[in-house]
């Protein structure tokens, strides 16, 4: 992070000043700071690997099939058997077609010492199709503020959004209800008919 590079810049300044002024104590101080930074970084990497291996992430939708403009509820749950010294922020990443939530709503925090965090996000889809949530984004930070790491972990649930269809649609010719809406029959109009190009499910953009 910026704090790390500020301390590294101090160490570099001491090293340059020690060489220019021929002061060994400044060079030794610079080497000491550099060694301290490397030790802190090694410690962070070790803690990060242990935390990621122990972190259990569960991401699931309340239902796998909804209609357009119906809410899609997703629950994100993160658990640790033993608390971690690192600060963890997990963010739900819904597909672009699902809207209605902010980044703050989609983010849950596991502070140092915490073992569980849960959040439920509600989004909606205005178009039909099948949508997949990406794996949650994890942002892990060291308690001293020197290091951060961003990665993705967790399941990727899928939700199918069906288009809404009218239930009171009447097919008729000249005001008379037709028993069968398909097949050859009088349309009551002048002009050529329309041949369907294909029959398929709705996809985003239809």
């Amino acid at each position: 992070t910026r704090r790390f590079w500020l301390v590294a810049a101090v160490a570099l300044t001491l090293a340059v000043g020690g060489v220019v002024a021929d002061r060994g104590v400044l060079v030794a101080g610079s080497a000491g700071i550099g060694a301290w930074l490397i030790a802190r970084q090694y410690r962070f990497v070790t803690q990060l690997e242990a935390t990621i291996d122990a972190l259990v992430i569960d991401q699931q939708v309340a239902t796998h099939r909804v209609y357009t403009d119906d809410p899609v509820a997703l629950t994100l749950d993160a658990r640790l058997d033993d608390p971690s010294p690192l600060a963890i922020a997990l963010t739900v990443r819904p597909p672009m077609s699902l809207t209605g939530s902010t980044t703050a709503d989609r983010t849950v925090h596991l502070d140092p010492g915490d073992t569980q965090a849960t959040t439920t996000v509600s989004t909606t889809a205005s178009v039909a199709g099948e949508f997949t949530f990406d794996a949650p984004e994890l942002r892990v930070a060291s308690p001293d503020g020197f290091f951060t790491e961003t990665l993705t972990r967790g399941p990727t649930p899928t939700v199918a959004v069906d288009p809404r269809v009218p239930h009171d649609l009447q097919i008729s010719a000249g005001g008379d209800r037709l028993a069968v809406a398909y097949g050859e029959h009088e349309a009551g109009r002048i002009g050529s008919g329309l041949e369907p190009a294909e029959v398929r499910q709705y996809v985003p953009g239809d």
Side-chain angles (χ1 to χ4, degrees), residues 4 35-49 147:
F4 170 87
W36 180 78
L37 286 176
I38 293 174
R40 302 290 287 190
Q41 186 172 15
Y42 175 79
R43 182 182 180 187
F44 171 71
V45 171
T46 302
Q47 292 174 338
L48 175 66
E49 291 177 345
F147 308 100

Side-chain angles (χ1 to χ4, degrees), residues 35-172:
W36 180 78
L37 286 176
I38 293 174
R40 302 290 287 190
Q41 186 172 15
Y42 175 79
R43 182 182 180 187
F44 171 71
V45 171
T46 302
Q47 292 174 338
L48 175 66
E49 291 177 345
T51 299
I52 296 303
D53 289 341
L55 184 63
V56 178
I57 301 174
D58 185 23
Q59 182 177 233
Q60 57 182 341
V61 290
T63 178
H64 291 278
R65 186 170 292 276
V66 297
Y67 288 106
T68 52
D69 298 323
D70 281 348
V72 178
L74 178 137
T75 299
L76 173 64
D77 182 73
R79 301 183 303 276
L80 286 169
D81 291 335
D82 299 314
S84 171
L86 306 179
I88 307 171
L90 299 95
T91 303
V92 175
R93 299 192 300 158
M96 293 183 62
S97 298
L98 271 62
T99 59
S101 64
T102 64
T103 303
D105 296 333
R106 300 193 301 266
T107 303
V108 65
H109 298 273
L110 267 172
D111 295 324
D114 293 343
T115 57
Q116 186 172 10
T118 303
T119 185
T120 299
V121 179
S122 181
T123 59
T124 57
S126 58
V127 296
E130 188 171 273
F131 306 100
T132 300
F133 286 80
D134 292 332
E137 181 183 86
L138 281 69
R139 183 175 175 84
V140 187
S142 61
D144 55 21
F146 280 100
F147 308 100
T148 62
E149 181 63 66
T150 302
L151 59 158
T152 56
R153 287 291 189 280
T156 57
T158 299
V159 60
V161 181
D162 295 328
R164 294 186 179 274
V165 295
H167 297 288
D168 57 350
L169 185 64
Q170 177 181 332
I171 305 298
S172 61

Side-chain angles (χ1 to χ4, degrees), residues 15-42:
V16 173
V19 172
V20 173
D22 195 18
R23 299 287 300 272
V25 65
L26 295 180
V27 177
S30 173
I33 294 175
W36 180 78
L37 286 176
I38 293 174
R40 302 290 287 190
Q41 186 172 15
Y42 175 79

